[in-house]
Amino acid sequence: MPVITNIEDLRVLAEKRVPRMFYDYADSGSWTESTYRANEADFQKIKLRQRVAVNLENRSTATKMVGIDVKMPVCIAPVGLTGMQHADGEILAAKAAEKFGIPFTLSTMSICSIEDIAEHTTAPFWFQLYMMRDRDAMARMIERARAARCSALVLTLDLQVIGQRHKDLKNGLTAPPRPTLANIINLATKPRWCLGMAGTRRHTFRNLVGHVKGVSDMRSLAAWTNEQFDPRLSWPDVAWVKERWGGKLILKGIQDVEDAKLAVASGADAIVVSNHGGRQLDGAQSSIEALPAIVAEVGSQIEVWMDGGIRSGQDVLKAWALGARGTMIGRAMVYGLGAMGEAGVTKALEIIHKELDVTMAFCGHTKIETVDQGILLPGTYPV
C-alpha cells in the first residue's frame, strides 16, 4: 500500500481501482472543462501571510453550519452514483462523516437510498433534492427525507438542463450503462471493485426505483429521468419546497449576486456558491472567484458556503477567509472512497483537517472563528 499524504495520492489510487466509466464520471467537467480546471487553479493564485511568535496551543477548527456543530467547516457534497465508485459507497461515506463529525449529504441520484443511509447511521444526515416534473414524486421524496430524520434539505438549482460531459458519452455511461468492449476489458482489470459489487444488492438508483410510478428497473428509470428534469424550475417552486419541507433549506448552485439576493428573499437558511463542479456551464467563473461578491452582498443576511475545487485544508481556509461559512467536498471524498472505501473517506477528511489546522496556525490563528481576509496576501485574491 502506498503512503497516502494528500488528496492527490487518493486520486491516483482511485483511478487505478475504479472502472474507467465511473472514475471519469466523477473526475470530469462539461465541454472543454475550463471551469472544472479553474475551480482548482484559482485557489492556487491566493497567497497566505505567514505569522510567527504567536501562542498556538489549544487550536480548534470547530464551528457550526446551519446551527449544526461541525469539527471543521466542511460537509460532504451530494454526488450522484457514489455507490458505483465503491460498493455501498454512500453508506460508507456517511459512516465516515458521522464518525469524523461533519455532515453527509445524500444525492437524489444515489445508488444507496435515503432509507439505506438512515439504517446504517445514527447522526442526522442531509438530503439533496433535484426538482422533477412529477411533483407528487417530489412530495413523497421530501416526506421520506423527513421520516429518515434528515436535518437539512439541499435543493440544487443548476441542473434544469444537463451539461454535456464528453467523457460520459465516449465511455457509454448511460442508464443502463452501455457494455462496450472497452468497458468490459476495463472491468476485467478491476477485480477488487467487481468483488465488492458482487457482494451488495445495491446496484441501481434506489431513491427512485420502486418509489416512482412506472419505474421498476434501470431501463424504465432512464426513460423517466430523461423526461423529468424540470426546465421550468423557478422561485415559486423553491417556495413550494420550503413549505413542504418546513426545516433547514440550503440552496445549491448560486453563482450570481442577483440570484443570491433572490435566495435570501426565498427564506433559505444557507446558499452554496457552486458551478456544479464545472459539470454544467463551462466558461463560468470558478466558485472561489464568484464567492467574495456574493458574500459582500448577502453574507450578513444568510450563511454563504462554497463548493468546487477544494482539494486541501488550505483551500478550506482560503474559502473561509473570503467569507464562506462552510464548504462542500465532492471529488476529494470520491477519490478516498474509490481508493480505500470507508477508510479512504476517513483518510481524506483527516488530511483536509490536518492541513486546515496547521495552515491556520502558520497564519497566526488558533480558532477558525477568528480567521478573516487578513490571512491573505493583498492583491492575490478576488474581491
Side-chain angles (χ1 to χ4, degrees), residues 298-317:
V298 302
S300 63
Q301 304 167 67
I302 194 171
E303 281 185 39
V304 179
W305 306 346
M306 70 81 59
D307 158 81
I310 290 174
R311 302 291 184 272
S312 71
Q314 289 204 338
D315 295 341
V316 173
L317 192 70

Side-chain angles (χ1 to χ4, degrees), residues 158-308:
D158 59 355
L159 205 87
Q160 291 166 279
V161 294
I162 300 176
Q164 179 170 306
R165 299 146 202 169
H166 299 330
K167 289 177 185 173
D168 288 350
L169 294 176
K170 291 174 180 176
N171 287 333
L173 186 62
T174 56
R178 191 171 69 248
T180 64
L181 180 61
N183 289 339
I184 293 167
I185 292 170
N186 183 251
L187 278 173
T189 68
K190 314 292 180 185
R192 180 194 300 256
W193 183 91
C194 293
L195 192 62
M197 294 307 293
T200 181
R201 65 184 188 278
R202 302 178 181 94
H203 300 130
T204 188
F205 294 104
R206 286 164 63 90
N207 279 329
L208 301 173
V209 173
H211 292 283
V212 175
K213 193 179 299 181
V215 176
S216 57
D217 56 24
M218 285 293 275
R219 198 165 298 281
S220 56
L221 172 68
W224 185 82
T225 52
N226 286 339
E227 298 171 355
Q228 281 293 324
F229 280 102
D230 195 348
R232 303 166 302 175
L233 173 64
S234 60
W235 291 104
D237 298 304
V238 175
W240 180 87
V241 171
K242 180 176 170 58
E243 184 179 353
R244 285 268 173 181
W245 172 242
K248 302 280 187 185
L249 179 64
I250 299 154
L251 300 181
K252 182 172 180 285
I254 305 294
Q255 280 281 104
D256 187 89
V257 166
E258 293 306 312
D259 285 335
K261 291 193 283 191
L262 290 167
V264 170
S266 77
D269 297 279
I271 59 173
V272 187
V273 177
S274 172
N275 52 39
H276 217 98
R279 295 163 66 77
Q280 286 292 88
L281 176 60
D282 191 37
Q285 272 186 308
S286 68
S287 297
I288 195 64
E289 189 175 59
L291 175 67
I294 291 173
V295 168
E297 186 67 40
V298 302
S300 63
Q301 304 167 67
I302 194 171
E303 281 185 39
V304 179
W305 306 346
M306 70 81 59
D307 158 81

Side-chain angles (χ1 to χ4, degrees), residues 89-105:
E90 291 91 357
I91 292 171
L92 300 182
K95 289 169 72 173
E98 178 178 355
K99 290 171 188 172
F100 198 83
I102 66 166
F104 169 81
T105 315

